[in-house]
Structures are given as C-alpha cells and as structure tokens.
Amino acid sequence: MGSGDALDELRGHKYLLLTTFRRDGTPVPTAVLFALDGDRILVHTSLNSGKVKRIRRNPRALVQPSTILGRPLGPPIDVRARILEGDEAREAASILRSCCIEKRLSMMLDPLRRSPPAYLELRPTREGEGIS
C-alpha cells in the first residue's frame, strides 16, 4: 500500500486522532485538526505541547480519522512526525489557513497563547520501514 492509499482513510475528515508515545511507550492520543497536502498530513499545535515534546524524542506516531472528541472512525496509520521550521512552517501555516474556518479560528488565537505555534508534518511509513 502506497502512502497515498493510506491517506485515503483521512479524506473527508476534519479531525484525526494523533497518538504519540511517552518514553515508557505509553500511547497518548490527542484529537487535532489537520490538512492533507499531497502525501503528507499537516497539523498546527503549540510548540510547548506534550505532543511536540514527545515527537522530539520519538518521531513514531499513529493517526486515524476521528471525531472532535477523539473517537476513532477508522484504522490507525503508522506515521513519522517532523516539526517544521522556517519556510516549511510558513508554507504549512498558509496551507492550514486555507483549508477550513476551524483551522483559521484556531490559528487566530496564537497571539493569545503562552507558547508560539508549531507545525507538524506527518508522513505514512512504508511497509517494513522501521522507525528508530
């Protein structure tokens, strides 16, 4: 299955359940707004959020379509997460802003938050590809 096929599960959804992993391997699921951009998933969050800290330690994550409250609506997809910076982060912000009103409203609140925004890129791993 190619990465585009894996992402087909997410098409038509606004929210996904992003599961990152603590040091001890405990999964931590979080419902987030997202945008699809080709063969990648873009997510807007806070730089000081737990998910960003966990991704810095371990880029392995799982995603699956979900409700706003995090109830899974499909099977999990194994992804590798990356925190975007500079021009890549600005491009991701532009893509996310153009997707839907909920993302625009969420991003408009950034100046009120105590932490700067962060943009995540999630790419499905290929079958058999390990994540170290």
Side-chain angles (χ1 to χ4, degrees), residues 21 53 59 62 82 88 91 94 98 100 104 108 120 131:
F21 298 90
K53 292 174 187 175
L62 298 171
R82 187 167 71 93
E88 288 182 308
E91 178 191 12
S94 175
S98 69
C100 73
R104 273 196 301 272
M108 286 172 52
L120 306 177
I131 299 178

Side-chain angles (χ1 to χ4, degrees), residues 43-74:
V43 172
H44 167 254
T45 189
S46 171
L47 189 61
N48 292 334
S49 68
K51 65 183 113 10
V52 169
K53 292 174 187 175
R54 289 186 292 276
I55 286 167
R56 280 195 178 114
R57 271 194 312 276
N58 179 4
R60 178 178 180 259
L62 298 171
V63 297
Q64 58 197 117
S66 77
T67 66
I68 190 172
L69 298 177
R71 185 174 59 81
L73 298 174

Side-chain angles (χ1 to χ4, degrees), residues 108-128:
M108 286 172 52
L109 295 175
D110 280 345
L112 303 176
R113 294 187 176 119
R114 295 177 199 232
S115 174
Y119 299 93
L120 306 177
E121 174 189 84
L122 312 170
R123 289 189 185 264
T125 59
R126 292 182 285 271
E127 276 188 47

Side-chain angles (χ1 to χ4, degrees), residues 1-2 16 21 29 31-32 35 37 41 48 55-56 82 85 87-88 90 103 106-108 112 120 125 130 132:
M1 173 190 316
L16 63 77
F21 298 90
V32 295
D37 181 47
I41 303 161
N48 292 334
I55 286 167
R56 280 195 178 114
R82 187 167 71 93
E85 297 177 355
D87 289 342
E88 288 182 308
R90 283 186 284 283
K103 290 179 189 83
S106 173
M107 294 169 80
M108 286 172 52
L112 303 176
L120 306 177
T125 59
S132 48

Side-chain angles (χ1 to χ4, degrees), residues 11-36:
R11 294 192 200 294
H13 295 277
K14 288 184 182 181
Y15 297 91
L16 63 77
L17 192 62
L18 172 60
T19 302
T20 54
F21 298 90
R22 292 190 176 131
R23 280 179 216 250
D24 66 3
T26 304
V28 182
T30 309
V32 295
L33 284 162
F34 74 98
L36 290 176

